[in-house]
């Protein structure tokens, strides 16, 4: 079905359909790799700041420091 959709979108030009499918696949792969890299940075940042998601452990380790959320403004997610 996917191959047929690309072939139809390329108006029967098999080479153009193949090039379009490969281009889309590479773009999707790059986007997935960027998401993984961002998640890895968030996880590393959270561990470096002692914010692993376990509030009680953070409270025991650093009782004088208030708990707060770390965020990545690029993707708008927060780690608590």
């Amino acid at each position: 079905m996917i191959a047929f959709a690309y072939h139809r979108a390329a108006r029967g030009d098999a080479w153009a359909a193949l090039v379009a499918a490969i281009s889309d696949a590479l773009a999707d792969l790059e986007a997935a790799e960027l998401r993984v890299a961002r998640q890895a940075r968030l996880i590393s940042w959270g561990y470096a700041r002692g914010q692993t998601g376990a509030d009680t452990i953070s409270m025991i380790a650093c009782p004088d420091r208030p708990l707060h959320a770390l965020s990545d403004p690029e993707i708008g997610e927060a780690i608590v």
Side-chain angles (χ1 to χ4, degrees), residues 5-61:
Y6 274 101
H7 191 260
R8 186 173 179 188
R11 296 185 175 134
D13 184 350
W15 182 256
L18 177 63
V19 170
I22 291 171
S23 295
D24 288 349
L26 289 174
D28 289 345
L29 179 61
E30 183 179 3
E33 288 173 347
L34 287 173
R35 281 192 304 275
V36 168
R38 285 184 184 141
Q39 288 173 348
R41 277 197 333 262
L42 285 174
I43 291 167
S44 295
W45 180 253
Y47 278 107
R49 293 295 211 179
Q51 299 292 320
T52 60
D55 292 341
T56 55
I57 293 171
S58 295
M59 185 74 87
I60 293 168

Side-chain angles (χ1 to χ4, degrees), residues 54-77:
D55 292 341
T56 55
I57 293 171
S58 295
M59 185 74 87
I60 293 168
C62 303
D64 58 329
R65 190 179 79 207
L67 297 174
H68 64 284
L70 301 173
S71 64
D72 183 346
E74 288 181 7
I75 58 174
E77 292 183 1

